[in-house]
Amino acid sequence: MSTRRPFIGGNWKMNLHQQDAVDLALALADKVSGDAVQVAVFPALPYLLPVAAVLHEKGAPIAVGAQDVYTQPNGAYTGEVSLSMLQDCGVTCVLVGHSERRHVIGEADPLINEKVLASLEAGMDVILAIGEKIEQREAGKTDYINTGQLGYGLAGVTDEQMKRVTIAYEPVWAIGTGKTATPGDAQRAHMVIRQAIAFMFDQDIADGVRVQYGGSMKPGNAAELLAQPDIDGGLIGGASLKADDFAAIIDAAAVPA
Ligand code: PGA
């Protein structure tokens, strides 16, 4: 575990209708307290408001995030939602470049970079997700892919803005599959990501950036992953849909080094 404050995000993806989302937020509000760990949940777009309302009413230390953003402030962009609209709904944190946006929806690095820059400009905290596919890993290209996505994604970000950026390393083959990177493999990838940030910015900034691990993190493997020196939290999909499991991961992150 590092000295950086761990950050645990719950990416609910396209799951949970309104009542289930509100019930999960209520259950989490009862289980999550203190500020040892930064916590955010990312509900589906239509339920940002009710989830934010419940968490606010309960005074829960849980931020509400959006799973995706659009770059433009307003206008003829059918189907999109602006950053200020998200802020109106209580959103303070956004996910950009999740592997499902990259590989299922087809977003490429230049758009991801625009989204990062627009979100930071709007004052949001940003989680930039990166990670290699299985064939890239097998070809020995893990670091090449990660540092490439990092370089594209963070192009034009200022030193000051980097204080609001978190990186999520999510090997694509581990997302939703039950397969997890070994703690050693994950640590190695995280270390290279941090070195690349030092190269792009400087060592102080690299030392301060949180790098979350994502990909089938669950209560049974969280402690071992989170004990690695360059793993500063997690981005959790499946296990974030159950209050007990998500709370157990947050508890594992709260254990001091
Ligand atoms: P998973 O998803 O925990 O279900 O593997 C992680 C993610 O996509 O952020």
Side-chain angles (χ1 to χ4, degrees):
M1 184 85 70
S2 72
T3 52
R4 293 168 286 270
R5 183 180 172 217
F7 185 2
I8 301 287
N11 177 7
W12 296 355
K13 308 193 181 185
M14 201 172 71
N15 294 300
L16 307 176
H17 285 81
Q18 178 155 222
Q19 195 55 54
D20 293 330
V22 167
D23 288 348
L24 178 55
L26 280 169
L28 290 174
D30 282 343
K31 289 176 194 292
V32 178
S33 60
D35 61 4
V37 179
Q38 184 177 347
V39 180
V41 292
F42 299 79
L45 206 49
Y47 310 131
L48 289 170
L49 262 180
V51 167
V54 156
L55 293 173
H56 181 74
E57 198 180 296
K58 291 274 180 183
I62 302 175
V64 176
Q67 298 173 17
D68 184 35
V69 299
Y70 195 59
T71 55
Q72 300 301 317
N74 52 49
Y77 302 101
T78 300
E80 295 297 341
V81 169
S82 75
L83 282 148
S84 57
M85 290 170 182
L86 293 174
Q87 283 165 327
D88 261 356
C89 297
V91 168
T92 55
C93 179
V94 298
L95 279 182
V96 180
H98 189 278
S99 84
E100 287 142 23
R101 302 291 320 167
R102 291 177 189 268
H103 304 303
V104 181
I105 313 293
E107 282 184 20
D109 286 303
L111 177 60
I112 290 167
N113 178 240
E114 277 180 48
K115 290 184 173 187
V116 168
L117 295 176
S119 302
L120 289 169
E121 192 62 36
M124 293 282 196
D125 291 343
V126 171
I127 299 178
L128 171 65
I130 62 173
E132 83 287 358
K133 295 188 191 178
I134 190 65
E135 58 273 23
Q136 294 165 331
R137 165 162 287 256
E138 283 167 355
K141 294 205 162 110
T142 297
D143 295 339
Y144 172 80
I145 296 295
N146 285 339
T147 54
Q149 291 180 351
L150 202 61
Y152 262 118
L154 297 179
V157 173
T158 66
D159 290 6
E160 194 53 34
Q161 287 173 332
M162 274 306 283
K163 294 181 184 151
R164 287 186 281 117
V165 174
T166 298
I167 305 300
Y169 168 56
E170 301 203 293
V172 179
W173 47 271
I175 297 178
T177 58
K179 291 184 196 146
T180 320
T182 64
D185 280 350
Q187 163 56 26
R188 215 195 130 274
H190 282 232
M191 192 185 70
V192 172
I193 289 165
R194 199 175 303 287
Q195 284 166 351
I197 294 171
F199 184 68
M200 291 177 65
F201 295 90
D202 63 36
Q203 192 62 48
D204 271 1
I205 289 174
D207 288 342
V209 169
R210 273 91 52 89
V211 185
Q212 299 172 321
Y213 170 80
S216 301
M217 192 188 265
K218 39 190 179 280
N221 60 25
E224 216 189 337
L225 285 160
L226 292 164
Q228 303 301 313
D230 286 296
I231 299 185
D232 310 306
L235 186 58
I236 323 298
S240 74
L241 301 176
K242 293 195 186 116
D244 285 345
D245 287 359
F246 192 55
I249 296 172
I250 294 167
D251 288 346
V255 176

